[in-house]
Amino acid sequence: MSTPAEPGLKELQSKVTFYRRLTIGLALLVAFLAMVVIAQLTGSGQEKAPLANKPAAAESPAGAAQDAPYIRRDADDPMAIGDVDAPVVLVQWTDMRCPFCAAVHRDTLPTVIQEYVDSGKVRLELNDVSFFGEESETAAVAARAAAAQDMYFEYLDAVFGAAPGTGHAELPREKLIAFAEEVGIPDIAKFTADLDDPALRTAVQTSTAEAQRLGVSAVPFFVADGTALSGAQPIAIFRDFLDNAVDSKG
């Protein structure tokens, strides 16, 4: 009667590597979730997603990298600004109908960009979520359609600049097209067609699901160097937040 062969050295090494990566991935996910919970419990000026959008359980990342898995560092990313090799990446989650997202975009991010992004210290990467219904999702699609013509941030400036101080902005299709015309999107016909592009809508849905997987349930939400900041905080808070992140890089 034959007996199973004992595993060879290479097989054992492969198993050890797999379980090491799994352990690191689980540790990263647990650390991120803890950071999210702390930031959202202590944050103010944030808009919470409806209960139906609470995060669901998900698998952990397969392995560890120098940057966290939610950091892109893609030189061709139209939803990011700043040096791709900046020492700190400031990651933001935002909803186009969120009044606090609009406030931080208008009142705080211009100074952050001037003092930290333009100086090469920080790179800003945005992630869209659609926490507040179909209009949130379609508005995020519109922003991605603007991004396809290299005008993502100009489009956000227009939408958030017109947002009400309280309540969720009304963003029907015709208003989204009007914003595109306002900022000078070169090809309005393509922009309008892209509003019906299923690939862009899927991208928004995937981004929202990934945010929920990470535990992000209130926006605006920021992470820099493994530390989270939740809500439309004043610029003094952002300066402390980013200075600490930059200083930690030496």
Side-chain angles (χ1 to χ4, degrees):
M1 182 176 63
S2 62
T3 58
E6 293 186 2
L9 179 59
K10 287 186 177 180
E11 184 179 352
L12 288 172
Q13 289 174 333
S14 177
K15 288 182 177 179
V16 169
T17 299
F18 170 78
Y19 286 114
R20 182 182 295 121
R21 288 178 175 175
L22 181 61
T23 301
I24 293 172
L26 285 169
L28 283 172
L29 183 60
V30 169
F32 186 90
L33 289 171
M35 175 179 62
V36 168
V37 170
I38 292 170
Q40 292 183 346
L41 285 175
T42 58
S44 60
Q46 60 184 352
E47 186 81 358
K48 292 189 176 181
L51 292 177
N53 283 328
K54 280 194 171 181
E59 296 178 0
S60 61
Q66 184 177 359
D67 281 326
Y70 47 83
I71 292 175
R72 300 188 294 266
R73 286 197 190 271
D74 179 353
D76 298 321
D77 188 349
M79 295 169 63
I81 52 173
D83 187 347
V84 72
D85 295 318
V88 172
V89 177
L90 175 63
V91 183
Q92 178 186 359
W93 285 265
T94 191
D95 187 302
M96 301 290 285
R97 298 185 66 211
C98 165
F100 297 112
C101 298
V104 79
H105 187 91
R106 290 191 309 258
D107 303 335
T108 307
L109 285 185
T111 303
V112 168
I113 291 169
Q114 180 182 12
E115 295 183 5
Y116 294 91
V117 176
D118 291 346
S119 65
K121 298 176 184 176
V122 171
R123 173 176 172 83
L124 174 63
E125 296 185 352
L126 268 69
N127 296 275
D128 45 20
V129 297
S130 54
F131 285 164
F132 306 111
E134 186 176 348
E135 283 194 359
S136 282
E137 185 172 289
T138 302
V141 170
R144 285 178 178 260
Q149 300 191 47
D150 295 321
M151 296 195 72
Y152 179 75
F153 285 92
E154 293 86 348
Y155 194 78
L156 262 58
D157 289 345
V159 174
F160 285 142
T166 59
H168 299 144
E170 298 297 327
L171 296 174
R173 183 184 181 93
E174 58 270 19
K175 186 177 283 189
L176 297 174
I177 296 171
F179 282 130
E181 293 171 339
E182 175 186 327
V183 301
I185 297 290
D187 191 338
I188 291 294
K190 181 181 185 304
F191 174 89
T192 303
D194 283 347
L195 294 179
D196 299 313
D197 185 344
L200 292 184
R201 190 165 295 274
T202 297
V204 172
Q205 293 168 348
T206 300
S207 180
T208 302
E210 178 63 13
Q212 293 172 322
R213 185 186 77 85
L214 290 170
V216 177
S217 60
V219 286
F221 191 82
F222 301 86
V223 174
D225 193 38
T227 302
L229 182 67
S230 185
Q233 304 296 337
I235 187 60
I237 299 296
F238 268 91
R239 285 190 178 115
D240 287 343
F241 177 61
L242 292 174
D243 285 344
N244 288 336
V246 172
D247 291 345
S248 74
K249 298 298 183 181

